[in-house]
Amino acid sequence: MQALILAGGKGTRLRPLTVYTPKPIVPICNRPFLLYQIDTLRRAGITDITLSLSYQPNKIEQLLGDGSEYGVKLKYTVEPQPMGTAGAYKYAEDLIREQTVVFNGDILTDLDLKAVIREHNERKATATIVLTPVENPQDYGLVETENDGRIRRFLEKPKADEITCNTINAGTYILEPKVLDFLPAGENYSFEYGLFPDLLKRGEPFYAHIPPRTYWIDIGTPQRYLQVHADLLGGRVGRIHIKDRRGQFDAATVAEIDELSMIGDDCQIKPGAQIINSVLGPGCFVEERARVENSVIWPHTRIGTAAQVTGAIAGRGCHIGRSATVGPGSVLGDKTSLTDYTLT
Ligand code: GDD
Ligand code: MG
């Protein structure tokens, strides 16, 4: 049993954060995102993992290497140009000629993967998709199922008047190798628009797995990127617990750091500063009376005296000037410099 992680998308909805950092390795509570997926696979005993890359592959490969540091064996495929989700799976064909778990490379979940594999095998399915309920399925792939768990309909990015249920494709699949034979070689092809509707037409045993009480989020928009941090800090992610909320850093005794916040190594926090429900990457500098609330700050960013940062994300090496106000929804790319008193 092995795994393929689809990690080649451009991460456009997370721009400008993804200009220099591809989405699969954006930090989530100061850890590259893919490590959470690697943990999920390792928990299920799967250590043979292929990463399917296309956008900025070198950065990902340099960071994760052969995986030995994380107790897994990593291999890489790099498409000359994005081949689409199913095209990327077909492109990795030589490495995955056996039953494979496929992950979208931007979902964080505490899923019990062993239970998915067990059910897939019991049903002798050709393909199994994990489902999750969401409030608005429009951003996702809508999946209708029969009572016995068979998939009746798959509709990617449905329009408002096409929504018939609240269950969507959670971006985790178990695929039998025969699926490879249904895919065109060397072409851009999609699981969502191509293979899944095709499996239904062919009448293949194609099933949904609906896990009980499972945390699930797609981290691919700024709003959800902040949400996953709030959920992890608040301990709402079932089986995933963050460690090391406090690195080695300097803080004035008169600074206020609430118990939820996570502070990376080598940060400096000056008197009267407040850090509330936020994550600071390593090497950040928070000047006197600055306030950071419900925000995620990437490494080596400096927040000036009396600046207010609320509900925002700041990339690496930013400089937020004195008394600046960075408001909800703001996303600052790496090295952004905001003049004193800026209002966003
Ligand atoms: N290698 C490779 N090549 N990877 C790709 C490519 C490609 O051409 N295109 C997309 N990916 C990767 C992305 O990096 C991401 O990890 C994953 O495939 C899904 O792409 P997204 O662009 O994030 O898709 P989405 O979020 O709009 O929709 C998908 O995910 C939803 C769940 O989060 C669909 O699978 C939906 O059906 C699903 O509900
Ligand atoms: Mg996505």
Side-chain angles (χ1 to χ4, degrees):
M1 184 86 187
Q2 38 176 303
L4 179 79
I5 302 181
L6 298 172
K10 287 203 178 125
T12 40
R13 287 163 292 182
L14 270 185
R15 280 181 191 156
L17 297 169
T18 45
V19 172
Y20 299 107
T21 308
K23 179 166 70 168
I25 54 170
V26 296
I28 303 283
C29 287
N30 290 341
R31 253 179 117 213
F33 170 71
L34 276 180
L35 294 186
Y36 294 87
Q37 294 201 322
I38 288 173
D39 287 346
T40 303
L41 291 166
R42 217 189 25 222
R43 268 201 305 274
I46 300 167
T47 54
D48 203 348
I49 304 169
T50 302
L51 298 184
S52 166
L53 309 181
S54 168
Y55 178 68
Q56 300 192 349
N58 299 342
K59 289 196 180 150
I60 299 177
E61 214 170 325
Q62 265 163 25
L63 183 78
L64 301 178
D66 65 2
S68 49
E69 209 179 308
Y70 313 106
V72 294
K73 277 183 267 158
L74 292 181
K75 290 189 205 122
Y76 298 87
T77 59
V78 179
E79 298 143 51
Q81 69 277 329
M83 303 287 287
T85 46
Y89 166 75
K90 178 77 177 171
Y91 189 78
E93 177 160 39
D94 294 341
L95 298 174
I96 51 167
R97 274 255 159 228
E98 57 178 271
Q99 192 181 60
T100 300
V101 180
V102 178
F103 275 164
N104 279 354
D106 61 354
I107 47 148
L108 191 133
T109 175
D110 66 339
L111 178 70
D112 178 357
L113 196 54
K114 277 191 184 163
V116 188
I117 298 164
R118 204 181 311 125
E119 193 177 53
H120 171 90
N121 288 336
E122 278 163 14
R123 289 161 158 174
K124 299 195 175 26
T126 301
T128 296
I129 305 190
V130 177
L131 304 192
T132 190
V134 292
E135 261 169 40
N136 181 4
Q138 275 187 280
D139 290 344
Y140 304 100
L142 182 87
V143 185
E144 288 175 16
T145 50
E146 306 287 358
N147 289 338
D148 66 353
R150 273 197 181 243
I151 291 176
R152 185 193 307 142
R153 181 159 172 254
F154 189 104
L155 186 60
E156 184 66 15
K157 309 282 186 304
K159 300 195 183 68
D161 61 358
E162 293 175 316
I163 294 171
T164 48
C165 58
N166 71 344
T167 41
I168 59 124
N169 166 22
T172 297
Y173 321 124
I174 313 289
L175 302 178
E176 291 303 311
K178 75 186 271 203
V179 166
L180 288 164
D181 302 330
F182 303 153
L183 300 174
E187 260 179 50
N188 190 299
Y189 198 64
S190 151
F191 282 130
E192 297 83 352
Y193 294 100
L195 176 79
F196 296 152
D198 184 46
L199 286 177
L200 292 172
K201 268 193 226 130
R202 289 174 188 266
E204 287 289 331
F206 181 24
Y207 282 93
H209 174 90
I210 304 178
R213 292 179 311 283
T214 298
Y215 180 86
W216 182 89
I217 196 166
D218 174 324
I219 61 145
T221 66
Q223 184 242 332
R224 295 198 296 255
Y225 180 76
L226 282 175
Q227 184 66 50
V228 71
H229 280 86
D231 291 341
L232 283 164
L233 293 180
R236 292 190 288 274
V237 188
R239 282 176 280 260
I240 304 176
H241 303 286
I242 48 172
K243 292 176 278 208
D244 308 325
R245 251 178 232 255
R246 297 287 190 270
Q248 300 285 323
F249 65 97
D250 274 349
T253 43
V254 282
E256 180 192 335
I257 302 172
D258 77 340
E259 58 185 29
L260 294 174
S261 292
M262 175 176 233
I263 316 290
D265 286 338
D266 304 318
C267 286
Q268 287 194 47
I269 300 169
K270 294 293 181 188
Q274 291 176 299
I275 315 290
I276 317 284
N277 195 32
S278 294
V279 176
L280 299 188
C284 287
F285 197 103
V286 183
E287 306 261 20
E288 292 183 13
R289 289 173 285 111
R291 179 181 168 92
V292 180
E293 185 169 7
N294 303 335
S295 295
V296 179
I297 312 294
W298 287 13
H300 303 292
T301 281
R302 176 180 283 257
I303 297 171
T305 304
Q308 305 272 329
V309 180
T310 311
I313 310 168
R316 269 188 194 75
C318 293
H319 183 273
I320 295 171
R322 177 191 185 93
S323 297
T325 303
V326 181
S330 302
V331 184
L332 309 181
D334 291 0
K335 301 207 172 104
T336 299
S337 181
L338 296 183
T339 317
D340 296 350
Y341 303 101
T342 298
L343 266 177
T344 69

